[in-house]
């Protein structure tokens, strides 16, 4: 597969180009894509896979964090109701 662009990765993942750059910044140094002489990222298959993997993990974690506080509130309310009765 040919090198991909930031725009094509963003389009595939349905996220902004800025988010792709943020993800690249968060990758381990050995996973980050290299840059060419024009200071542009050269994104090969391994970099694409690292970006997708990071996005999938961060997206799953964000969903869990969103549901977690609601679940805790439900548990707190049901426990306090039981203690009163």
């Amino acid at each position: 597969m040919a090198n991909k662009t930031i725009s094509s990765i963003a389009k595939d993942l349905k996220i902004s180009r800025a988010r792709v750059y943020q993800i690249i910044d968060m990758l381990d140094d050995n996973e980050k894509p290299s840059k060419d002489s024009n200071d542009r990222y050269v994104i090969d298959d391994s970099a694409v896979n690292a970006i997708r993997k990071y996005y999938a993990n961060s997206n799953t974690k964000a969903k869990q964090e969103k549901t977690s506080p609601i679940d805790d509130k439900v548990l707190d309310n049901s426990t306090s109701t039981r203690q009163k009765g």
Side-chain angles (χ1 to χ4, degrees):
M1 180 165 112
N3 290 336
K4 293 194 86 167
T5 64
I6 296 291
S7 295
S8 65
I9 295 170
K11 186 176 179 181
D12 290 346
L13 297 176
K14 297 181 173 82
I15 59 176
S16 68
R17 288 174 47 240
R19 180 66 181 135
V20 176
Y21 283 109
Q22 288 174 341
I23 291 171
I24 290 171
D25 286 341
M26 299 300 291
L27 293 175
D28 291 335
D29 288 339
N30 62 337
E31 294 180 315
K32 287 184 182 182
S34 58
K35 289 189 173 185
D36 65 11
S37 59
N38 295 326
D39 204 35
R40 298 181 72 177
Y41 284 113
V42 178
I43 304 175
D44 59 7
D45 289 341
S46 63
V48 171
N49 290 336
I51 292 167
R52 285 185 175 153
K53 181 180 173 184
Y54 185 93
Y55 175 71
N57 288 341
S58 66
N59 203 24
T60 302
K61 185 177 179 182
K63 286 180 182 176
Q64 288 173 349
E65 288 174 355
K66 284 182 183 177
T67 57
S68 211
I70 294 170
D71 293 342
D72 290 344
K73 288 179 183 175
V74 170
L75 289 175
D76 288 343
N77 287 338
S78 64
T79 332
S80 61
T81 305
R82 286 185 197 154
Q83 291 174 352
K84 289 179 183 176

